[in-house]
Amino acid sequence: SIILVLLGLYIGNYIDKNLFSQMHQWIWTSLIMLGYIILSVLLVSKYLEKFSGYEKKTSIFSAAPGALGPLLILAEDEKSDLSQVATSHLIRLIIIITVFPFIVDSFYDQNKIEKIDVILEQNIYDLLILIASSLFIIYIFDKIKVPAALLAGTLVASGLLQITEVASYKLSPGIIDFCLLILGSSVGCRFANKTFVEIGKNALHSFVATFFLVVLGVLAAYVASLVIDKNFFTLLLSYCPGGIYEVAVIAIFFDLDPEFVSFHHIIRLLMILFIVPL
């Protein structure tokens, strides 16, 4: 939880008044996200139901592009097979966080010169105000069931405080290496109660389902590139069917508009929560 708050504070560094001048364009990319989710759930759930022998509801929960935590709660409520849903999503997450950074690193022509951030003397009280405000909004968001409350709450708090110039504090980029270490460990630990037989049984169909979701994500990113002037890899990460925190770290690491990517993943979580039960 501490790591996720730190991630939120770091991404909050990118939020400023200039960001709001482009937010009207995000309506179109959000609508494309809606189409992407509906298509993904319809097509991939049909594949899983027909070829992997998943029960219909289990197929739908397994096909949704991301939002493992909320989906497991919904799946439990609908008496679906939690093990199949969890394994499908975890295998997909491993594929995404392994393959996507490799693709971005291979094809994204980023500036290879190491950027040196000159951080001027900062006020520690600003950091304390940011943390206290973040924890307060996280608590509110958690109570009203906002998805990814830890990241969303911190982003809202740090964004508001920095735009209104109440408090501003830039975290060192070195913190991201530490966040990567903890996030990678946490993803691996989720396999603790899985057996090789259980994972092997789901692996092939999870690979195919991931392939379909990634192809649909690339298609959505291409359509979005026609309506908004953004780096294609930023759009690709925005429609990537992975976990919000893991993808946010990839966006920060490659400096690909992490606030834009995070916003779209939070929107996707909200949409999944409304669409999948329907």
Side-chain angles (χ1 to χ4, degrees), residues 77-89:
D77 194 50
E78 293 288 342
K79 305 293 183 284
S80 299
D81 190 324
L82 292 184
S83 176
Q84 288 178 329
V85 175
T87 307
S88 296
H89 280 269

Side-chain angles (χ1 to χ4, degrees), residues 10-268:
Y10 188 88
I11 297 170
N13 291 342
Y14 291 84
I15 299 173
D16 55 24
K17 289 172 184 174
N18 296 330
L19 187 66
F20 286 85
S21 63
Q22 30 173 318
M23 282 191 88
H24 66 281
Q25 295 177 297
W26 297 9
I27 296 165
W28 301 108
T29 50
S30 299
L31 287 172
I32 293 166
M33 179 72 77
L34 180 63
Y36 163 63
I37 292 166
I38 293 169
L39 259 179
S40 296
V41 172
L42 290 176
L43 294 176
V44 178
S45 67
K46 283 295 175 194
Y47 165 80
L48 290 172
E49 194 181 346
K50 189 168 183 180
F51 294 101
S52 68
Y54 282 16
E55 183 263 333
K56 190 169 188 173
K57 283 180 181 175
T58 304
S59 298
I60 292 168
F61 289 123
S62 300
L68 172 59
L71 283 171
L72 282 178
I73 295 165
L74 292 172
E76 190 171 25
D77 194 50
E78 293 288 342
K79 305 293 183 284
S80 299
D81 190 324
L82 292 184
S83 176
Q84 288 178 329
V85 175
T87 307
S88 296
H89 280 269
L90 288 173
I91 290 171
R92 186 183 310 154
L93 185 57
I94 289 289
I95 295 166
I96 293 298
I97 64 174
T98 306
V99 174
F100 261 66
F102 176 76
I103 292 170
V104 176
D105 193 47
S106 300
F107 297 103
Y108 176 42
D109 188 25
Q110 64 181 143
N111 187 359
K112 296 295 179 185
I113 299 167
E114 197 70 33
K115 288 190 296 182
I116 300 168
D117 283 355
V118 180
I119 298 174
L120 302 172
E121 192 178 334
Q122 302 187 95
N123 191 338
I124 193 69
Y125 292 112
D126 279 7
L127 179 60
L128 294 175
I129 292 167
L130 279 165
I131 293 170
S133 306
S134 298
L135 293 176
F136 175 71
I137 295 180
I138 287 167
Y139 176 77
I140 301 294
F141 279 10
D142 191 49
K143 287 292 179 191
I144 62 175
K145 307 293 182 197
V146 172
L150 283 163
L151 184 61
T154 313
L155 280 176
V156 168
S158 57
L160 281 173
L161 290 173
Q162 291 192 136
I163 287 165
T164 54
E165 296 179 355
V166 172
S168 177
Y169 195 95
K170 284 196 179 295
L171 293 177
S172 165
I175 202 126
I176 296 308
D177 292 338
F178 183 61
C179 291
L180 277 169
L181 182 69
I182 302 299
L183 278 179
S185 302
S186 73
V187 172
C189 288
R190 291 181 210 172
F191 283 92
N193 299 319
K194 303 288 174 195
T195 64
F196 279 112
V197 175
E198 196 179 350
I199 292 166
K201 210 162 48 177
N202 290 290
L204 176 63
H205 298 298
S206 296
F207 272 106
V208 177
T210 302
F211 174 75
F212 284 141
L213 288 171
V214 169
V215 168
L216 289 168
V218 171
L219 187 64
Y222 173 72
V223 174
S225 71
L226 302 176
V227 297
I228 189 170
D229 183 25
K230 279 278 175 197
N231 183 301
F232 182 74
F233 288 98
T234 298
L235 294 170
L236 196 58
L237 285 178
S238 299
Y239 295 103
C240 166
I244 178 171
Y245 303 115
E246 292 78 13
V247 176
V249 170
I250 296 170
I252 293 168
F253 191 80
F254 290 103
D255 198 20
L256 288 167
D257 276 356
E259 77 290 345
F260 180 88
V261 172
S262 300
F263 170 83
H264 283 78
H265 278 263
I266 291 167
I267 288 291
R268 188 191 64 196

